[in-house]
Amino acid sequence: ALLVVRQHRRIPEEQADDELAASHPQSAALARARAPPAAMRLRSRTERLLAELQPPALREGAALGDGAGSELEAAPEHAKQTCYSFNRAYCPPLNLSVQTSAQIAQTFSYCQQFARLEDHTPLGFCGRRLPRRNPCWRERGATSCLPHFFMLGEMKCGTTSLYQLLDRHPHVVPPLTKEPRFLMPARYRTTTLSRYAINFKPVISRVDSVTFDASPVYLRSPLARDWIKRWLPHAKLIALVRDPVQRAYSHWKMGTEWLSSKCTRREEVEQLRPWQAHLAFGAMMERGLLQHHFRACARELGQASVAVPRGLALIELPHRPAAAGGNDSAVFDGELGRCILSKDPSLAIKFRSELAGQAPRHKVDSLRAVERLVMRCSESMLTPESALAKGLAYSKELRAWAELFPRSQLLVIHTDDLASSAQRIMNATFSFLGLTPVDVGTQSRFCVHGKAGVMDVLQEDDNEIDIRGQTPHTGDEPPNPKAYRRLHVGPCGEDEAGMLKTSSGALHHKIDAELQQRLRALFKPSNEDLYAFLGRDLGW
Ligand SMILES: Nc1ncnc2c1ncn2[C@@H]1O[C@H](COP(=O)(O)OS(=O)(=O)O)[C@@H](OP(=O)(O)O)[C@H]1O
């Protein structure tokens, strides 16, 4: 799940200037002047883009997040806005990534105050919808666009590949950031529509083209569902689904890569060393399975108050022999213990000391310390249950989208089909989007490589991230150097020894047979529900 930008096929500056000049003379003059004093004072290219997009009256009053000078006005009591504006008056485009936490809190509170009013009152967008396939509006002299379609996820299901293949179409203009994640609550509360719209600026001058948002976390976001239903009810929605066992492995692999690339200080490496075996895929999945059974039993028995083990808890700590005061088999005497035992007897027995709360204190304490490190460096990807939860939720989430949107607006792609018949899948995808199919070439598997995870680079200021990695940035300012160094898209890498080619030509990670059986049993009911929803057995 990575934040990506593509820059090739950028709108030539002059062309963009022409369009802007026609609509907004002052911003075009700004762009042509290259470095006029006002632009020099702006902190980032993001803010320059914002300044270009905003009408002069607002621009002059906008605070720029430069510490002492950033005056932010609270919305007055009587503030009212009867339509949804790209230029929300009381949320100046402050650059959150350079604000102090106190400033961010203030931005949040003022913006929220106004957004609450807006949530209840607006009837529609303030501007005039332009006659284009892609949703764009003219508002107070400026044009802003939003996505024609959304790639909802699921993460680790080939969203990068689909993004790259869509990019082959001359009438698809990728967003500046692959994963703006605007419709996740934490981000939504602290940003504005105008900031979100920056991502779609390249489509402004491409009147015959469409753009999209590829945040692979939207599939599970009720906010995304409700917002898109309310504001872009005709948007097309694309979801990718992948064998949940393979997806879980990919999820774990990414977490492991992030952990080793980010926890590099000597003391961190030393602290992690004794726990390596516990962080292996099998150990993580066993823990995730047992946590899942624990949670399911607590739910089935109506024991809402019981503390379900989370994170790295349940780590098969050594049993205390009964003679030393432990009586860990008693854990299965109670209702909850019996239920867990019935779900998976050998796993339950393996972890009985911890289930009984009899793990030695010092072990538990050192586990807690290492857990903090693991979560920070893996950006919480190495969370056993989360690797399983996403694959378990495909059908539930898709059904929730299908309740709000007609099925004709929802396209579900099986990742393995992309491997075996990319052109056929892309032909169908382009037709679904209302575009004429084009040749997408022979490569269909792409991955993001890099040192960082999304949380490091997903700053308000990071629209400049360039997935080409090696290619020098062509603008007059370097892209975000931190992210630029870290991310690029390329082939996924084929671990010959660790992968199998299926009869359809897809590559699958080899997974221990016994673990695989356990995981397959876990996913069976939700997979069947997915097949029923799709009207197609995916053979997982
Ligand atoms: N065409 C095709 N066929 C089969 N598998 C494919 C394909 N495209 C991408 N992939 C696999 O999808 C994984 C990457 O998914 P994402 O790009 O969605 O990842 S991310 O969420 O953006 O990080 C990554 O999985 P792993 O290699 O298992 O990690 C890719 O190999």
Side-chain angles (χ1 to χ4, degrees):
L2 290 169
L3 175 71
V4 176
V5 168
R6 45 87 65 198
Q7 302 262 347
H8 61 275
R9 232 177 58 215
R10 278 160 59 97
I11 349 166
E13 291 286 348
E14 301 71 16
Q15 193 184 322
D17 288 353
D18 286 344
E19 163 130 355
L20 283 163
S23 63
H24 188 186
Q26 191 170 344
S27 58
L30 230 174
R32 263 196 300 277
R34 294 263 165 224
M40 293 288 282
R41 284 202 301 274
L42 300 181
R43 274 200 179 273
S44 69
R45 193 167 146 260
T46 305
E47 283 164 343
R48 282 236 308 276
L49 291 170
L50 262 169
E52 284 176 32
L53 286 170
Q54 290 202 326
L58 278 179
R59 195 173 345 123
E60 276 150 25
L64 294 169
D66 54 355
S70 69
E71 296 304 326
L72 190 59
E73 225 185 306
E77 286 293 305
H78 61 270
K80 254 202 184 48
Q81 192 169 302
T82 52
C83 51
Y84 196 11
S85 175
F86 284 90
N87 299 299
R88 190 187 274 165
Y90 294 94
C91 296
L94 294 187
N95 185 336
L96 294 177
S97 58
V98 298
Q99 284 184 58
T100 63
S101 48
Q103 286 171 320
I104 289 174
Q106 201 183 41
T107 307
F108 168 80
S109 125
Y110 289 165
C111 262
Q112 268 305 91
Q113 197 184 340
F114 198 68
R116 265 197 301 276
L117 294 167
E118 203 178 55
D119 271 352
H120 297 293
T121 47
L123 300 170
F125 286 97
C126 298
R128 178 176 60 83
R129 170 95 191 235
L130 298 176
R132 303 183 183 189
R133 177 176 308 155
N134 197 84
C136 297
W137 287 264
R138 291 285 292 168
E139 184 192 346
R140 298 168 69 181
T143 301
S144 307
C145 297
L146 292 175
H148 172 59
F149 67 98
F150 290 82
M151 203 195 293
L152 305 174
E154 185 48 84
M155 62 184 288
K156 307 316 296 176
C157 290
T159 58
T160 311
S161 298
L162 185 59
Y163 179 93
Q164 294 291 106
L165 295 172
L166 286 163
D167 188 25
R168 303 268 155 83
H169 201 288
H171 295 304
V172 175
V173 181
L176 289 176
T177 305
K178 178 194 168 220
E179 300 180 14
R181 298 186 178 215
F182 171 64
L183 297 172
M184 295 309 284
R187 166 138 306 203
Y188 184 73
R189 286 199 308 264
T190 51
T191 192
T192 63
L193 194 63
S194 56
R195 274 190 169 279
Y196 179 48
I198 286 177
N199 288 293
F200 315 109
K201 183 176 182 267
V203 86
I204 291 177
S205 59
R206 302 276 299 275
V207 290
D208 55 352
S209 298
V210 295
T211 191
F212 62 103
D213 177 337
S215 303
V217 284
Y218 287 173
L219 185 65
R220 287 166 277 120
S221 166
L223 170 64
R225 278 199 286 272
D226 293 343
W227 189 91
I228 296 172
K229 177 68 188 172
R230 182 166 185 203
W231 297 110
L232 296 170
H234 303 294
K236 298 281 171 88
L237 311 165
I238 303 178
L240 287 129
V241 290
R242 180 182 185 192
D243 173 355
V245 178
Q246 292 291 314
R247 203 216 71 82
Y249 189 90
S250 177
H251 188 111
W252 166 84
K253 186 161 72 95
M254 183 160 82
T256 305
E257 282 162 8
W258 287 356
L259 180 68
S260 58
S261 68
K262 291 172 71 187
C263 269
T264 51
R265 296 211 323 267
R266 215 168 111 192
E267 58 275 24
E268 293 171 336
V269 174
E270 288 304 313
Q271 198 182 345
L272 288 169
R273 200 187 309 280
W275 296 93
Q276 287 308 329
H278 298 288
L279 297 173
F281 180 64
M284 295 290 276
M285 290 305 103
E286 284 190 349
R287 233 168 293 146
L289 279 163
L290 202 58
Q291 290 172 353
H292 177 84
H293 297 325
F294 198 121
R295 188 182 305 282
C297 284
R299 208 176 31 241
E300 281 166 28
L301 297 168
Q303 299 190 10
S305 59
V306 72
V308 178
R310 301 161 67 97
L312 296 189
L314 297 181
I315 205 158
E316 202 198 350
L317 296 170
H319 306 149
R320 279 211 292 174
N327 180 16
D328 51 26
S329 59
V331 69
F332 301 124
D333 291 346
E335 236 185 349
L336 184 62
R338 277 202 306 279
C339 174
I340 298 170
L341 189 66
S342 72
K343 300 263 183 208
D344 193 328
S346 57
L347 259 193
I349 289 169
K350 189 169 178 180
F351 288 97
R352 66 184 183 276
S353 284
E354 272 206 278
L355 286 171
Q358 291 182 351
R361 190 74 246 157
H362 70 279
K363 277 273 186 184
V364 174
D365 288 346
S366 91
L367 172 63
R368 295 244 163 83
V370 86
E371 181 169 30
R372 277 194 289 279
L373 196 62
V374 169
M375 293 307 158
R376 177 167 59 75
C377 292
S378 77
E379 299 185 10
S380 297
M381 288 295 284
L382 287 179
T383 309
E385 266 199 299
S386 122
L388 299 174
K390 296 178 176 64
L392 281 166
Y394 296 149
S395 64
K396 175 177 154 270
E397 301 298 351
L398 284 169
R399 286 183 188 283
W401 283 89
E403 265 176 34
L404 289 183
F405 295 86
R407 282 297 286 274
S408 57
Q409 274 174 249
L410 177 63
L411 177 71
V412 182
I413 297 174
H414 179 199
T415 309
D416 281 3
D417 287 346
L418 260 191
S420 58
S421 22
Q423 186 63 57
R424 179 175 62 82
I425 296 299
M426 292 313 295
N427 287 350
T429 305
F430 290 133
S431 303
F432 168 74
L433 297 173
L435 301 168
T436 315
V438 297
D439 184 354
V440 293
T442 49
Q443 192 183 347
S444 77
R445 191 161 160 259
F446 300 87
C447 284
V448 178
H449 302 278
K451 276 183 73 177
V454 73
M455 294 313 171
D456 265 8
V457 292
L458 193 64
Q459 302 284 327
E460 280 288 300
D461 198 21
D462 285 344
N463 287 311
E464 298 87 352
I465 297 169
D466 187 329
I467 58 172
R468 295 168 310 162
Q470 306 306 316
T471 319
H473 179 66
T474 50
D476 54 358
E477 255 180 57
N480 178 313
K482 185 177 69 178
Y484 184 67
R485 271 200 311 273
R486 285 175 165 175
L487 303 176
H488 68 276
V489 165
C492 296
E494 294 180 17
D495 166 16
E496 296 288 342
M499 296 191 93
L500 291 168
K501 203 168 219 146
T502 66
S503 52
S504 68
L507 280 170
H508 284 185
H509 298 284
K510 285 186 198 157
I511 292 168
D512 170 75
E514 195 184 321
L515 176 64
Q516 175 129 219
Q517 203 179 12
R518 279 205 163 99
L519 293 171
R520 298 243 165 259
L522 173 80
F523 288 121
K524 193 165 188 278
S526 54
N527 285 350
E528 281 170 358
D529 190 44
L530 178 69
Y531 304 160
F533 175 77
L534 297 175
R536 177 186 169 200
D537 185 335
L538 300 178
W540 302 334

